[in-house]
Amino acid sequence: VYSSLEGILPTLALHSILLPFNAYRLWEILRTTRQMRSLTADAKVFEWLSPYLRPVPLEKDQYVFRKGDPTDCLYIMRSGKLLLEEIGVTLEGEQIFGEIAFFTNQRTRTVSARCLDHCEIMKVDEAAFMRLYNQHPAFGLYIVRLTASRLLDGLQRSPEVYLDPKVRKAILESAEKEGV
């Protein structure tokens, strides 16, 4: 409007050309915002992951990973029962797990995951997981929410599991000196 009132034709032409692009980008932002608001732990998350899933057959008492193992993939349990040993959490049914290790400085597993019975588990390699995380904002938000809720739950149950080993050692030494 300003360009047309003042007769600045180059600016008017530029903004006229950019208007459809900006309108399309606004529509994309609004659509993504709606998707993120309505996102829950539904089939959409598993739908995004399905092209990248590879089976990992595990029987009772087998470990999916142990605390300290390097992070190489994200896991999805389709069926069965799994114990996150250090924090005493049992996962059942269709669940994503192993996501927290991707966001640690050490890039290692923070707890051990052991099957309590026959488990149908699928895995997604790190490259595919990070590509989905970066390319789908709704998926990224789901993973961030899942990670935050699991960390808060784990910190409530067993805060010592999440402490750096040096910090934990210093706390224990301090407690011993004070006779606690």
Side-chain angles (χ1 to χ4, degrees):
V1 172
Y2 172 77
S3 297
S4 63
L5 290 175
E6 293 296 321
I8 307 171
L9 296 179
T11 304
L12 179 62
L14 174 67
H15 288 288
S16 297
I17 292 169
L18 291 177
L19 183 63
F21 295 108
N22 289 330
Y24 176 73
R25 184 62 186 131
L26 177 62
W27 175 80
E28 278 185 330
I29 291 169
L30 293 173
R31 183 188 62 174
T32 301
T33 303
R34 278 192 305 276
Q35 283 178 345
M36 289 174 27
R37 282 189 186 139
S38 66
L39 186 66
T40 58
D42 62 3
K44 186 79 170 162
V45 172
F46 296 105
E47 183 182 305
W48 286 323
L49 291 169
S50 64
Y52 306 103
L53 297 177
R54 304 288 173 258
V56 180
L58 293 167
E59 296 299 324
K60 182 177 181 177
D61 291 327
Q62 280 189 295
Y63 282 86
V64 180
F65 52 79
R66 293 180 189 265
K67 183 177 180 171
D69 284 353
T71 305
D72 57 348
C73 51
L74 175 76
Y75 294 94
I76 293 89
M77 182 171 56
R78 294 286 195 185
S79 63
K81 191 184 270 190
L82 185 92
L83 175 66
L84 302 176
E85 289 186 334
E86 288 77 5
I87 57 174
V89 172
T90 302
L91 302 177
E92 295 184 63
E94 202 164 61
Q95 297 265 344
I96 293 175
F97 66 100
E99 76 286 349
I100 293 175
F102 284 101
F103 302 102
T104 64
N105 290 337
Q106 295 81 17
R107 308 257 314 132
T108 59
R109 301 292 177 186
T110 55
V111 296
S112 300
R114 181 172 53 91
C115 296
L116 294 178
D117 57 10
H118 172 76
C119 293
E120 183 185 343
I121 293 177
M122 310 294 275
K123 69 179 181 176
V124 176
D125 67 53
E126 180 178 6
F129 168 68
M130 294 311 275
R131 189 170 41 254
L132 279 171
Y133 179 81
N134 289 312
Q135 291 177 352
H136 292 280
F139 176 73
L141 180 63
Y142 174 80
I143 293 297
V144 168
R145 285 180 179 168
L146 179 66
T147 302
S149 67
R150 291 214 171 132
L151 281 172
L152 291 172
D153 183 53
L155 283 169
Q156 261 185 336
R157 292 172 183 261
S158 306
E160 69 280 353
V161 171
Y162 295 98
L163 290 175
D164 182 278
K166 293 175 187 174
V167 173
R168 186 177 353 166
K169 183 179 177 183
I171 291 172
L172 291 173
E173 288 173 357
S174 175
E176 285 177 5
K177 287 179 185 175
E178 293 177 13
V180 178

